[in-house]
Amino acid sequence: MVTYIEADSAPMKNTGQIRLYGSDDFDGMRKASQLTARCLDELVSRVKPGVTTNEIDRFVFEFGQDHGALPATLNYRGYTKSCCTSINHVVCHGIPNDKPLREGEIVNIDVTYVLDGWHGDSSRMYPVGEIKRAAERLLDITQKSLMLGIEAVKPGARTGAIGEAIQTFAEAERCSVVRDFCGHGLGRLFHDAPNILHYGRASEGPEMRPGMIFTIEPMINLGRPHVKVLSDGWTAVTRDRSLSAQYEHTIGVTETGCEIFTLSPAGLDRPGLSA
């Protein structure tokens, strides 16, 4: 049975209860999330052929340090980097390294900053130079899937409405939705209840209530939905090596719908894509 709890009364651990945050909490989330969005904006001009993902990772760390924040992924369950960089057929949790990016690749950069105890979590896809039409189409479908999922957020609806909106659109475009990873509650904790599935039915899942904060982060594949995790314990790839894409926003449920905390202040939520 799903239970809800006022965030001020909840312990600092994931108990399975869904936290309901207040207006001051939303203020804290706005600040952390906008810092993350600004970092992702700065990366638009930095992602290009010849740049290594380790260079990107160093920038993410230093940008956070300059603004009084720490990357949530750094030393999280043994992860040693400040962001995730997932290239081409990597679905998520790609580990930055010294291999240069190549013309025509696509890369997801996932950043979460902790600022004053609040987590701002977002990711975007970046084209590396000129990319093929199939890759551009995948990016467009995935970003639109995210926004359709966000449009389904409103008090009284169930979280399954998010998944249904994403799945219906993506599959109509002859793409597949990854089942193995999902969105999650966020706030004072990096990963909290509820899980936000990117597939399903509108009648399923917990009821959305004002004060809930969570991520929506669909992973969409050009091929089949099946993935596997490599021996490093983190990197998830498509089993058929088809291209994969992901976009992510942190949102808060309001009385009338939702607020997107991680919107780009510079309008760069779709790097390399037309509006």
Side-chain angles (χ1 to χ4, degrees):
M1 180 179 177
V2 177
T3 59
Y4 301 80
I5 187 171
E6 294 298 322
D8 290 345
S9 305
M12 284 292 290
K13 62 180 180 180
N14 186 345
T15 63
Q17 296 172 299
I18 298 175
R19 297 166 202 259
L20 302 177
Y21 291 93
S23 58
D24 289 345
D25 302 328
F26 271 44
D27 285 341
M29 286 299 296
R30 288 186 191 103
K31 293 174 184 176
S33 297
Q34 278 300 290
L35 183 62
T36 297
R38 285 163 52 201
C39 176
L40 293 174
D41 285 353
E42 291 287 335
L43 290 172
V44 173
S45 63
R46 288 172 166 80
V47 174
K48 52 190 175 183
V51 172
T52 70
T53 48
N54 262 340
E55 290 176 279
I56 292 170
D57 189 71
R58 282 194 293 272
F59 173 81
V60 171
F61 178 79
E62 291 168 1
F63 186 89
Q65 288 285 95
D66 290 344
H67 295 86
L70 285 173
T73 57
L74 188 60
N75 298 320
Y76 177 78
R77 297 184 178 178
Y79 191 81
T80 60
K81 299 294 183 176
S82 297
C83 66
C84 297
T85 52
S86 302
I87 302 168
N88 294 340
H89 70 290
V90 178
V91 175
C92 60
H93 304 156
I95 304 172
N97 58 36
D98 287 324
K99 184 178 180 180
L101 292 171
R102 296 184 298 176
E103 180 84 19
E105 292 185 320
I106 57 173
V107 57
N108 175 273
I109 303 176
D110 192 341
V111 175
T112 306
Y113 281 128
V114 187
L115 180 65
D116 299 327
W118 296 101
H119 293 73
D121 189 358
S122 186
S123 80
R124 298 178 202 165
M125 295 299 299
Y126 297 80
V128 183
E130 294 293 324
I131 62 175
K132 292 182 178 179
R133 175 58 188 145
E136 184 179 359
R137 178 175 172 272
L138 175 63
L139 268 56
D140 184 56
I141 290 167
T142 307
Q143 199 274 337
K144 287 178 178 176
S145 295
L146 168 62
M147 299 313 294
L148 287 169
I150 290 173
E151 287 179 14
V153 176
K154 60 181 179 180
R158 297 192 174 275
T159 56
I162 300 169
E164 182 177 279
I166 292 169
Q167 182 181 11
T168 299
F169 176 72
E171 292 182 352
E173 295 292 335
R174 303 184 304 281
C175 294
S176 64
V177 180
V178 172
R179 265 73 164 169
D180 298 69
F181 301 96
C182 60
H184 53 88
L186 196 70
R188 290 286 187 185
L189 297 181
F190 190 6
H191 295 100
D192 202 4
N195 288 334
I196 304 296
L197 304 183
H198 304 118
Y199 61 94
R201 300 177 181 175
S203 59
E204 300 171 338
E207 177 187 330
M208 290 183 273
R209 297 184 181 182
M212 289 172 62
I213 298 174
F214 50 81
T215 69
I216 303 175
E217 47 187 294
M219 288 142 275
I220 308 296
N221 298 344
L222 272 183
R224 298 177 65 82
H226 309 105
V227 308
K228 64 179 179 180
V229 177
L230 301 184
S231 59
D232 59 29
W234 289 102
T235 308
V237 301
T238 56
R239 284 188 176 271
D240 61 6
R241 296 187 66 82
S242 63
L243 288 180
S244 184
Q246 178 187 25
Y247 290 82
E248 175 184 14
H249 275 312
T250 295
I251 67 103
V253 183
T254 66
E255 296 289 342
T256 57
C258 71
E259 177 178 348
I260 306 174
F261 293 130
T262 46
L263 275 177
S264 163
L268 298 173
D269 293 297
R270 293 165 52 92
L273 299 177
S274 58

